[in-house]
Protein backbone atom coordinates (compact mmCIF):
# COMPACT_ATOMS: atom_id res chain seq x y z
CA UNK A 1 0.00 0.00 0.00
CA UNK A 2 1.44 3.39 -0.97
CA UNK A 3 1.79 5.66 2.05
CA UNK A 4 3.57 8.72 0.61
CA UNK A 5 1.24 11.68 0.18
CA UNK A 6 0.67 13.12 -3.27
CA UNK A 7 1.50 16.76 -3.95
CA UNK A 8 -1.72 18.55 -4.79
CA UNK A 9 -2.07 20.66 -7.91
CA UNK A 10 -2.86 23.68 -5.76
CA UNK A 11 0.32 23.32 -3.73
CA UNK A 12 2.37 22.84 -6.88
CA UNK A 13 0.88 26.00 -8.33
CA UNK A 14 1.93 27.85 -5.18
CA UNK A 15 5.53 26.86 -5.81
CA UNK A 16 5.25 27.55 -9.52
CA UNK A 17 3.85 31.03 -8.86
CA UNK A 18 6.67 32.04 -6.51
CA UNK A 19 8.25 35.21 -7.85
CA UNK A 20 11.89 35.50 -8.77
CA UNK A 21 13.55 37.88 -6.29
CA UNK A 22 14.12 40.67 -8.84
CA UNK A 23 10.49 40.56 -9.89
CA UNK A 24 9.36 40.53 -6.26
CA UNK A 25 11.51 43.54 -5.44
CA UNK A 26 10.33 45.42 -8.52
CA UNK A 27 6.69 44.68 -7.74
CA UNK A 28 7.02 45.84 -4.15
CA UNK A 29 8.93 48.94 -5.19
CA UNK A 30 6.10 49.82 -7.56
CA UNK A 31 3.68 49.61 -4.64
CA UNK A 32 1.41 46.98 -6.16
CA UNK A 33 -1.33 45.56 -3.99
CA UNK A 34 -1.01 42.00 -2.73
CA UNK A 35 -3.82 40.72 -4.91
CA UNK A 36 -2.49 42.40 -8.02
CA UNK A 37 1.00 41.13 -7.36
CA UNK A 38 -0.21 37.54 -7.03
CA UNK A 39 -1.91 37.72 -10.43
CA UNK A 40 0.91 39.52 -12.26
CA UNK A 41 3.86 37.58 -10.88
CA UNK A 42 6.19 35.99 -13.39
CA UNK A 43 6.02 32.27 -12.59
CA UNK A 44 8.91 29.95 -12.08
CA UNK A 45 8.78 26.88 -14.35
CA UNK A 46 6.62 24.12 -12.86
CA UNK A 47 8.46 21.17 -11.40
CA UNK A 48 8.55 18.20 -13.78
CA UNK A 49 6.36 15.29 -12.74
CA UNK A 50 9.35 13.01 -12.25
CA UNK A 51 10.76 15.27 -9.50
CA UNK A 52 7.56 15.95 -7.57
CA UNK A 53 8.15 13.17 -5.02
CA UNK A 54 11.85 12.86 -4.15
CA UNK A 55 10.99 11.64 -0.65
CA UNK A 56 10.11 7.96 -0.28
CA UNK A 57 8.16 6.42 2.59
CA UNK A 58 7.06 3.02 1.25
CA UNK A 59 10.17 1.11 2.36
CA UNK A 60 9.80 1.42 6.12
CA UNK A 61 12.61 -1.08 6.64
CA UNK A 62 15.03 1.41 5.09
CA UNK A 63 13.30 4.38 6.71
CA UNK A 64 13.65 3.05 10.27
CA UNK A 65 16.86 1.05 9.74
CA UNK A 66 18.88 1.05 12.95
CA UNK A 67 15.93 2.07 15.12
CA UNK A 68 15.40 -0.42 17.97
CA UNK A 69 11.97 -2.01 18.03
CA UNK A 70 11.53 -0.90 21.65
CA UNK A 71 12.08 2.73 20.63
CA UNK A 72 9.53 2.43 17.80
CA UNK A 73 6.99 0.96 20.21
CA UNK A 74 7.55 3.79 22.73
CA UNK A 75 7.15 6.41 20.00
CA UNK A 76 3.96 4.80 18.69
CA UNK A 77 2.49 4.60 22.19
CA UNK A 78 3.35 8.26 22.88
CA UNK A 79 1.88 9.52 19.61
CA UNK A 80 -1.24 7.43 20.13
CA UNK A 81 -1.76 8.89 23.61
CA UNK A 82 -1.07 12.44 22.42
CA UNK A 83 -3.67 12.08 19.67
CA UNK A 84 -6.44 11.74 22.28
CA UNK A 85 -7.65 15.29 22.93
CA UNK A 86 -9.35 14.72 26.32
CA UNK A 87 -6.25 12.95 27.64
CA UNK A 88 -4.01 15.85 26.55
CA UNK A 89 -6.45 18.34 28.15
CA UNK A 90 -6.43 16.44 31.44
CA UNK A 91 -2.62 16.19 31.49
CA UNK A 92 -2.27 19.89 30.68
CA UNK A 93 -4.66 20.84 33.46
CA UNK A 94 -2.71 18.69 35.89
CA UNK A 95 0.60 20.29 34.90
CA UNK A 96 -0.93 23.74 35.44
CA UNK A 97 -1.68 22.86 39.05
CA UNK A 98 1.18 23.92 41.39
CA UNK A 99 0.26 21.03 43.66
CA UNK A 100 0.89 18.55 40.82
CA UNK A 101 3.73 20.25 38.93
CA UNK A 102 5.54 21.06 42.16
CA UNK A 103 5.33 17.55 43.61
CA UNK A 104 7.89 14.82 43.18
CA UNK A 105 5.17 12.51 41.83
CA UNK A 106 3.99 15.09 39.30
CA UNK A 107 7.54 15.73 38.05
CA UNK A 108 8.18 12.00 37.79
CA UNK A 109 5.00 11.50 35.76
CA UNK A 110 5.93 14.36 33.42
CA UNK A 111 9.50 13.03 33.06
CA UNK A 112 8.27 9.55 32.13
CA UNK A 113 5.76 10.73 29.52
CA UNK A 114 5.74 13.99 27.53
CA UNK A 115 9.14 15.14 28.80
CA UNK A 116 10.83 11.92 27.68
CA UNK A 117 9.20 12.13 24.26
CA UNK A 118 9.78 15.81 23.44
CA UNK A 119 12.90 16.76 25.43
CA UNK A 120 16.57 15.86 25.19
CA UNK A 121 17.39 15.74 28.89
CA UNK A 122 17.78 17.86 32.00
CA UNK A 123 21.36 19.00 31.37
CA UNK A 124 23.40 20.26 28.46
CA UNK A 125 25.52 17.10 28.61
CA UNK A 126 22.42 14.91 28.20
CA UNK A 127 21.29 17.02 25.24
CA UNK A 128 24.79 16.76 23.74
CA UNK A 129 24.57 12.97 23.94
CA UNK A 130 21.33 13.12 21.90
CA UNK A 131 23.06 15.28 19.29
CA UNK A 132 25.90 12.77 19.00
CA UNK A 133 23.42 9.93 18.55
CA UNK A 134 21.56 11.89 15.87
CA UNK A 135 24.85 12.75 14.14
CA UNK A 136 25.82 9.10 13.97
CA UNK A 137 22.45 8.50 12.29
CA UNK A 138 23.00 11.24 9.71
CA UNK A 139 21.12 14.14 11.34
CA UNK A 140 21.97 17.17 13.48
CA UNK A 141 20.47 18.78 16.56
CA UNK A 142 19.22 22.24 17.54
CA UNK A 143 19.99 22.89 21.20
CA UNK A 144 17.21 24.83 22.91
CA UNK A 145 17.79 25.76 26.54
CA UNK A 146 14.18 25.50 27.65
CA UNK A 147 13.22 28.75 29.33
CA UNK A 148 10.18 30.96 28.89
CA UNK A 149 9.60 34.72 29.26
CA UNK A 150 11.83 36.75 31.58
CA UNK A 151 10.26 39.27 33.94
CA UNK A 152 13.33 41.25 35.07
CA UNK A 153 16.98 41.96 34.34
CA UNK A 154 18.31 39.35 36.77
CA UNK A 155 16.36 36.61 34.97
CA UNK A 156 17.62 37.94 31.63
CA UNK A 157 21.25 37.77 32.79
CA UNK A 158 20.75 34.21 34.03
CA UNK A 159 19.14 33.21 30.75
CA UNK A 160 21.93 34.81 28.70
CA UNK A 161 24.47 32.75 30.63
CA UNK A 162 22.45 29.63 29.87
CA UNK A 163 22.41 30.45 26.15
CA UNK A 164 26.18 31.03 26.11
CA UNK A 165 26.63 27.69 27.85
CA UNK A 166 24.52 26.04 25.13
CA UNK A 167 26.79 27.56 22.47
CA UNK A 168 29.85 26.19 24.27
CA UNK A 169 28.26 22.73 24.34
CA UNK A 170 27.50 22.97 20.62
CA UNK A 171 31.12 23.96 19.98
CA UNK A 172 32.30 20.79 21.74
CA UNK A 173 30.29 18.57 19.37
CA UNK A 174 31.33 17.35 15.90
CA UNK A 175 31.59 20.29 13.47
CA UNK A 176 28.30 20.97 11.72
CA UNK A 177 26.27 18.75 14.04
CA UNK A 178 24.62 21.41 16.21
CA UNK A 179 23.07 24.84 16.16
CA UNK A 180 21.51 26.84 19.02
CA UNK A 181 18.03 28.31 19.37
CA UNK A 182 17.21 31.26 21.64
CA UNK A 183 14.24 33.43 22.63
CA UNK A 184 14.51 37.22 22.78
CA UNK A 185 11.78 37.14 25.44
CA UNK A 186 14.35 35.41 27.65
CA UNK A 187 16.90 38.22 27.16
CA UNK A 188 14.63 41.27 27.53
CA UNK A 189 11.78 41.78 30.03
CA UNK A 190 8.51 40.99 28.31
CA UNK A 191 6.87 44.31 29.26
CA UNK A 192 9.70 46.23 27.64
CA UNK A 193 9.43 44.19 24.44
CA UNK A 194 5.71 44.95 24.30
CA UNK A 195 6.36 48.66 24.72
CA UNK A 196 9.15 48.70 22.11
CA UNK A 197 6.88 46.82 19.68
CA UNK A 198 4.13 49.41 20.19
CA UNK A 199 6.61 52.17 19.40
CA UNK A 200 7.85 50.39 16.27
CA UNK A 201 4.28 49.90 15.03
CA UNK A 202 3.48 53.56 15.68
CA UNK A 203 6.57 54.65 13.76
CA UNK A 204 5.51 52.45 10.84
CA UNK A 205 2.19 54.31 10.77
CA UNK A 206 3.88 57.70 11.34
CA UNK A 207 7.37 57.61 9.74
CA UNK A 208 8.36 61.00 11.20
CA UNK A 209 7.89 59.64 14.72
CA UNK A 210 11.33 59.59 16.36
CA UNK A 211 12.76 56.62 18.28
CA UNK A 212 16.11 57.77 19.76
CA UNK A 213 17.08 54.24 20.80
CA UNK A 214 16.57 52.72 17.34
CA UNK A 215 19.95 51.83 15.82
CA UNK A 216 19.00 50.74 12.27
CA UNK A 217 16.32 51.15 9.63
CA UNK A 218 16.08 47.49 8.59
CA UNK A 219 12.36 46.84 7.98
CA UNK A 220 10.54 44.79 10.61
CA UNK A 221 6.95 45.63 9.60
CA UNK A 222 4.96 45.98 6.38
CA UNK A 223 1.77 47.79 5.43
CA UNK A 224 -0.10 44.50 5.91
CA UNK A 225 1.21 43.99 9.46
CA UNK A 226 -1.30 44.21 12.36
CA UNK A 227 -0.57 47.88 13.04
CA UNK A 228 -4.02 48.18 14.65
CA UNK A 229 -2.55 46.50 17.75
CA UNK A 230 -1.23 49.98 18.57
CA UNK A 231 -4.31 52.19 18.40
CA UNK A 232 -2.88 55.37 19.93
CA UNK A 233 0.50 57.01 20.37
CA UNK A 234 2.45 55.09 23.03
CA UNK A 235 4.55 56.76 25.70
CA UNK A 236 8.24 57.08 24.95
CA UNK A 237 10.69 54.84 26.74
CA UNK A 238 12.01 56.26 29.98
CA UNK A 239 15.75 56.65 30.50
CA UNK A 240 15.72 53.49 32.64
CA UNK A 241 13.81 51.57 29.97
CA UNK A 242 16.28 52.69 27.30
CA UNK A 243 19.08 51.45 29.55
CA UNK A 244 17.32 48.09 29.94
CA UNK A 245 16.86 47.87 26.17
CA UNK A 246 20.58 48.50 25.67
CA UNK A 247 21.40 45.79 28.21
CA UNK A 248 19.18 43.35 26.30
CA UNK A 249 20.96 44.38 23.10
CA UNK A 250 24.31 43.65 24.78
CA UNK A 251 23.12 40.24 26.02
CA UNK A 252 22.08 39.25 22.51
CA UNK A 253 25.36 40.45 20.97
CA UNK A 254 27.32 38.48 23.58
CA UNK A 255 25.50 35.28 22.55
CA UNK A 256 26.02 36.13 18.85
CA UNK A 257 29.72 36.78 19.43
CA UNK A 258 30.19 33.39 21.09
CA UNK A 259 28.39 31.74 18.16
CA UNK A 260 30.61 33.61 15.68
CA UNK A 261 33.71 32.57 17.61
CA UNK A 262 32.84 28.90 17.18
CA UNK A 263 30.95 29.04 13.87
CA UNK A 264 27.66 27.93 15.46
CA UNK A 265 24.42 29.03 13.70
CA UNK A 266 22.04 30.92 16.00
CA UNK A 267 18.28 30.57 15.43
CA UNK A 268 16.09 33.26 17.00
CA UNK A 269 12.56 32.03 17.66
CA UNK A 270 9.53 34.05 16.62
CA UNK A 271 6.78 34.54 19.18
CA UNK A 272 3.44 36.34 19.43
CA UNK A 273 2.32 39.43 17.55
CA UNK A 274 2.41 41.84 20.49
CA UNK A 275 6.19 41.44 20.82
CA UNK A 276 7.29 40.24 17.35
CA UNK A 277 8.33 43.67 15.98
CA UNK A 278 10.83 44.10 18.82
CA UNK A 279 12.04 40.51 18.38
CA UNK A 280 12.68 41.12 14.67
CA UNK A 281 14.38 44.40 15.52
CA UNK A 282 16.78 42.66 17.92
CA UNK A 283 17.37 39.79 15.49
CA UNK A 284 18.35 42.16 12.71
CA UNK A 285 20.68 44.02 15.08
CA UNK A 286 22.53 40.72 15.44
CA UNK A 287 22.42 40.00 11.71
CA UNK A 288 23.87 43.40 10.85
CA UNK A 289 26.73 42.79 13.26
CA UNK A 290 27.56 39.18 12.38
CA UNK A 291 26.20 38.17 8.96
CA UNK A 292 28.82 39.15 6.41
CA UNK A 293 27.40 39.22 2.87
CA UNK A 294 30.93 39.14 1.48
CA UNK A 295 32.02 35.94 3.20
CA UNK A 296 34.19 34.06 0.74
CA UNK A 297 33.60 30.55 2.07
CA UNK A 298 29.86 30.51 1.32
CA UNK A 299 29.19 29.15 4.82
CA UNK A 300 25.99 29.71 6.77
CA UNK A 301 25.39 33.15 8.26
CA UNK A 302 25.46 33.22 12.06
CA UNK A 303 22.13 34.86 12.95
CA UNK A 304 18.84 33.48 11.62
CA UNK A 305 15.46 35.10 12.18
CA UNK A 306 12.10 33.38 11.85
CA UNK A 307 9.16 33.86 9.49
CA UNK A 308 5.77 32.54 10.71
CA UNK A 309 3.76 31.57 7.65
CA UNK A 310 0.43 31.57 9.49
CA UNK A 311 0.62 35.38 9.71
CA UNK A 312 -1.09 37.37 6.99
CA UNK A 313 1.90 39.71 6.62
CA UNK A 314 4.53 36.94 6.42
CA UNK A 315 5.28 37.17 2.70
CA UNK A 316 5.37 40.98 2.67
CA UNK A 317 7.77 41.08 5.61
CA UNK A 318 9.92 38.38 4.00
CA UNK A 319 10.30 40.41 0.83
CA UNK A 320 11.04 43.54 2.88
CA UNK A 321 13.78 41.65 4.72
CA UNK A 322 15.28 40.53 1.41
CA UNK A 323 15.39 44.10 0.17
CA UNK A 324 16.84 45.29 3.48
CA UNK A 325 19.53 42.58 3.44
CA UNK A 326 20.57 43.56 -0.08
CA UNK A 327 20.66 47.24 0.84
CA UNK A 328 22.68 46.62 4.02
CA UNK A 329 24.90 43.95 2.41
CA UNK A 330 23.87 41.35 4.97
CA UNK A 331 23.53 37.64 4.23
CA UNK A 332 20.01 36.70 5.13
CA UNK A 333 19.45 33.75 7.45
CA UNK A 334 15.86 32.65 8.08
CA UNK A 335 13.93 29.80 9.64
CA UNK A 336 10.46 29.30 8.15
CA UNK A 337 7.73 27.86 10.39
CA UNK A 338 3.96 27.78 10.25
CA UNK A 339 3.54 29.25 13.75
CA UNK A 340 2.81 28.06 17.27
CA UNK A 341 0.66 30.77 18.91
CA UNK A 342 -2.63 30.34 17.07
CA UNK A 343 -4.78 30.12 20.20
CA UNK A 344 -3.13 33.13 21.82
CA UNK A 345 -3.42 35.28 18.68
CA UNK A 346 -7.09 34.43 18.19
CA UNK A 347 -7.89 35.12 21.85
CA UNK A 348 -6.14 38.51 21.82
CA UNK A 349 -7.76 39.60 18.55
CA UNK A 350 -11.20 38.66 19.88
CA UNK A 351 -10.59 40.55 23.13
CA UNK A 352 -9.54 43.69 21.25
CA UNK A 353 -12.28 43.38 18.65
CA UNK A 354 -9.74 43.51 15.80
CA UNK A 355 -8.98 41.15 12.90
CA UNK A 356 -6.75 38.23 13.71
CA UNK A 357 -3.20 38.52 12.30
CA UNK A 358 -3.46 34.84 11.33
CA UNK A 359 -4.66 33.57 7.94
CA UNK A 360 -8.34 32.69 7.77
CA UNK A 361 -7.78 29.04 6.79
CA UNK A 362 -5.16 26.32 7.12
CA UNK A 363 -4.90 26.14 3.33
CA UNK A 364 -3.91 29.81 3.19
CA UNK A 365 -1.20 29.04 5.74
CA UNK A 366 0.01 26.07 3.68
CA UNK A 367 0.08 28.21 0.54
CA UNK A 368 1.98 30.98 2.31
CA UNK A 369 4.51 28.51 3.75
CA UNK A 370 5.15 26.86 0.39
CA UNK A 371 5.40 30.23 -1.36
CA UNK A 372 7.91 31.57 1.18
CA UNK A 373 9.92 28.36 0.91
CA UNK A 374 10.06 28.56 -2.89
CA UNK A 375 11.06 32.22 -2.74
CA UNK A 376 13.91 31.51 -0.32
CA UNK A 377 15.12 28.40 -2.15
CA UNK A 378 15.85 30.60 -5.13
CA UNK A 379 17.87 32.89 -2.86
CA UNK A 380 19.81 29.87 -1.60
CA UNK A 381 20.56 28.88 -5.21
CA UNK A 382 21.91 32.39 -5.81
CA UNK A 383 24.11 32.16 -2.70
CA UNK A 384 22.52 35.15 -0.96
CA UNK A 385 20.55 33.41 1.79
CA UNK A 386 20.47 30.52 4.21
CA UNK A 387 17.16 28.86 5.09
CA UNK A 388 15.94 26.29 7.58
CA UNK A 389 12.56 24.86 6.56
CA UNK A 390 11.00 23.76 9.84
CA UNK A 391 7.92 21.72 8.95
CA UNK A 392 6.03 18.58 9.95
CA UNK A 393 3.93 18.75 6.80
CA UNK A 394 4.88 15.94 4.41
CA UNK A 395 3.54 17.75 1.36
CA UNK A 396 5.63 20.86 2.13
CA UNK A 397 8.67 18.65 2.60
CA UNK A 398 8.05 16.94 -0.74
CA UNK A 399 7.57 20.24 -2.57
CA UNK A 400 10.64 21.89 -1.08
CA UNK A 401 12.83 18.85 -1.77
CA UNK A 402 11.60 18.72 -5.37
CA UNK A 403 12.18 22.44 -5.85
CA UNK A 404 15.70 22.23 -4.40
CA UNK A 405 16.52 19.41 -6.81
CA UNK A 406 15.10 21.33 -9.76
CA UNK A 407 17.15 24.41 -8.86
CA UNK A 408 20.30 22.29 -8.60
CA UNK A 409 21.00 23.07 -4.95
CA UNK A 410 23.60 20.50 -3.81
CA UNK A 411 22.34 18.07 -1.19
CA UNK A 412 25.29 18.93 1.06
CA UNK A 413 24.70 22.70 0.91
CA UNK A 414 24.63 23.82 4.55
CA UNK A 415 22.51 26.82 3.55
CA UNK A 416 19.50 24.55 3.04
CA UNK A 417 18.34 22.77 6.18
CA UNK A 418 15.18 20.98 7.21
CA UNK A 419 14.04 20.62 10.83
CA UNK A 420 11.39 18.91 12.94
CA UNK A 421 10.67 18.76 16.66
CA UNK A 422 12.14 15.93 18.68
CA UNK A 423 9.44 13.28 18.94
CA UNK A 424 7.46 14.54 15.95
CA UNK A 425 7.46 13.78 12.21
CA UNK A 426 10.32 11.27 12.42
CA UNK A 427 9.18 9.69 9.15
CA UNK A 428 9.66 13.00 7.35
CA UNK A 429 13.02 13.61 9.03
CA UNK A 430 14.32 10.18 8.07
CA UNK A 431 13.03 10.40 4.51
CA UNK A 432 14.71 13.78 4.01
CA UNK A 433 17.91 12.35 5.44
CA UNK A 434 17.73 9.32 3.16
CA UNK A 435 17.27 11.65 0.19
CA UNK A 436 20.55 13.35 1.13
CA UNK A 437 19.26 16.59 2.65
CA UNK A 438 20.58 18.26 5.80
CA UNK A 439 18.14 17.57 8.65
CA UNK A 440 18.10 18.56 12.33
CA UNK A 441 15.82 17.79 15.25
CA UNK A 442 14.80 20.55 17.66
CA UNK A 443 16.01 19.55 21.16
CA UNK A 444 14.64 21.44 24.19
CA UNK A 445 16.44 20.59 27.43
CA UNK A 446 16.44 21.65 31.07
CA UNK A 447 15.11 20.55 34.47
CA UNK A 448 11.61 19.10 34.36
CA UNK A 449 10.09 21.90 36.45
CA UNK A 450 11.69 24.47 34.12
CA UNK A 451 10.43 22.72 30.97
CA UNK A 452 6.83 22.22 32.16
CA UNK A 453 5.69 25.62 30.75
CA UNK A 454 7.17 24.59 27.40
CA UNK A 455 5.31 21.26 27.50
CA UNK A 456 2.03 23.00 28.35
CA UNK A 457 2.46 25.45 25.48
CA UNK A 458 3.45 22.65 23.10
CA UNK A 459 0.32 20.69 24.06
CA UNK A 460 -2.01 23.71 23.79
CA UNK A 461 -0.68 25.13 20.55
CA UNK A 462 -0.16 21.84 18.74
CA UNK A 463 -3.34 19.94 19.49
CA UNK A 464 -4.15 19.78 15.79
CA UNK A 465 -0.65 18.59 14.98
CA UNK A 466 -0.71 15.94 17.69
CA UNK A 467 -4.08 14.61 16.64
CA UNK A 468 -2.95 14.64 13.00
CA UNK A 469 0.07 12.41 13.65
CA UNK A 470 -1.72 9.50 11.93
CA UNK A 471 0.85 9.48 9.10
CA UNK A 472 3.72 8.78 11.51
CA UNK A 473 1.63 6.25 13.40
CA UNK A 474 0.80 4.50 10.14
CA UNK A 475 4.48 4.30 9.21
CA UNK A 476 5.41 2.96 12.64
CA UNK A 477 2.67 0.31 12.58
CA UNK A 478 3.71 -0.81 9.11
CA UNK A 479 7.33 -1.18 10.19
CA UNK A 480 6.46 -3.01 13.40
CA UNK A 481 4.23 -5.45 11.47
CA UNK A 482 7.05 -5.96 8.96
CA UNK A 483 9.48 -6.77 11.76
CA UNK A 484 7.07 -9.21 13.41
CA UNK A 485 6.50 -10.98 10.09
CA UNK A 486 10.26 -11.15 9.43
CA UNK A 487 10.83 -12.60 12.90
CA UNK A 488 8.12 -15.22 12.42
CA UNK A 489 9.40 -16.12 8.95
CA UNK A 490 12.90 -16.49 10.37
CA UNK A 491 11.69 -19.10 12.81
CA UNK A 492 9.92 -21.21 10.20
Amino acid sequence: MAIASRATKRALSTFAAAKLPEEAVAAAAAGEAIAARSHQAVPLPPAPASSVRPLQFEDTGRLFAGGPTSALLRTLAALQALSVGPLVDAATAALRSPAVAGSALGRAAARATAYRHFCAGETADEAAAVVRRLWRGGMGGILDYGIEDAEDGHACDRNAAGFVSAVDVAASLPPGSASVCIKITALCPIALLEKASDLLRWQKKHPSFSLPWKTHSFPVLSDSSPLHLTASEPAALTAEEERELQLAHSRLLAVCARCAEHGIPLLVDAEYATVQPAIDYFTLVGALAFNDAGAADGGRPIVHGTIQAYLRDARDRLEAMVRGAERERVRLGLKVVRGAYLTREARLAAALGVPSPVHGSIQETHDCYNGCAAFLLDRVRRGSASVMLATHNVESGQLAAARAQELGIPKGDRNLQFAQLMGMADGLSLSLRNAGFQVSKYLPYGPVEQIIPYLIRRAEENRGLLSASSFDRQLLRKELVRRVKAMVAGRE
Side-chain angles (χ1 to χ4, degrees), residues 445-487:
Y445 69 92
V448 174
E449 60 274 14
Q450 182 175 302
I451 295 290
I452 282 177
Y454 167 85
L455 294 175
I456 291 174
R457 182 166 60 83
R458 186 59 57 195
E460 288 181 336
E461 298 292 348
N462 289 281
R463 284 195 60 182
L465 176 63
L466 294 171
S467 62
S469 62
S470 59
F471 182 70
D472 272 326
R473 285 180 275 137
Q474 185 181 3
L475 290 173
L476 287 163
R477 289 193 192 99
K478 181 179 178 182
E479 173 57 12
L480 289 167
V481 168
R482 187 198 67 81
R483 291 186 182 190
V484 168
K485 287 182 177 179
M487 182 180 64

Side-chain angles (χ1 to χ4, degrees), residues 314-393:
R315 182 60 182 266
D316 288 339
R317 287 192 299 110
L318 171 59
E319 292 180 8
M321 287 181 184
V322 168
R323 295 193 298 274
E326 291 174 345
R327 183 176 63 249
E328 301 288 347
R329 293 190 55 76
V330 172
R331 279 194 80 205
L332 192 63
L334 285 173
K335 171 164 59 89
V336 185
V337 302
R338 275 173 169 76
Y341 297 90
L342 180 62
T343 301
R344 181 171 186 149
E345 299 292 8
R347 191 178 299 146
L348 176 62
L352 296 176
V354 298
S356 171
V358 176
H359 287 300
S361 71
I362 186 61
Q363 188 58 53
E364 289 177 292
T365 295
H366 291 333
D367 290 346
C368 183
Y369 186 97
N370 294 335
C372 290
F375 179 83
L376 285 169
L377 285 170
D378 190 77
R379 307 303 294 187
V380 172
R381 178 182 67 85
R382 294 163 180 261
S384 62
S386 174
V387 62
M388 174 173 280
L389 299 176
T391 181
H392 298 135
N393 185 283

Side-chain angles (χ1 to χ4, degrees), residues 171-240:
S172 72
L173 294 166
S177 66
S179 52
V180 171
C181 184
I182 67 169
K183 289 178 173 293
I184 299 298
T185 51
L187 297 176
C188 183
I190 190 71
L192 183 55
L193 285 174
E194 289 174 342
K195 192 168 184 179
S197 293
D198 272 333
L199 288 163
L200 288 165
R201 276 189 291 266
W202 191 254
Q203 187 186 59
K204 176 63 179 176
K205 291 197 285 187
H206 304 277
S208 62
F209 187 67
S210 176
L211 297 177
W213 45 268
K214 192 176 177 184
T215 62
H216 68 78
S217 59
F218 212 108
V220 298
L221 291 161
S222 71
D223 290 338
S224 61
S225 294
L227 303 178
H228 51 257
L229 291 176
T230 303
S232 59
E233 181 176 341
L237 297 184
T238 66
E240 178 60 22

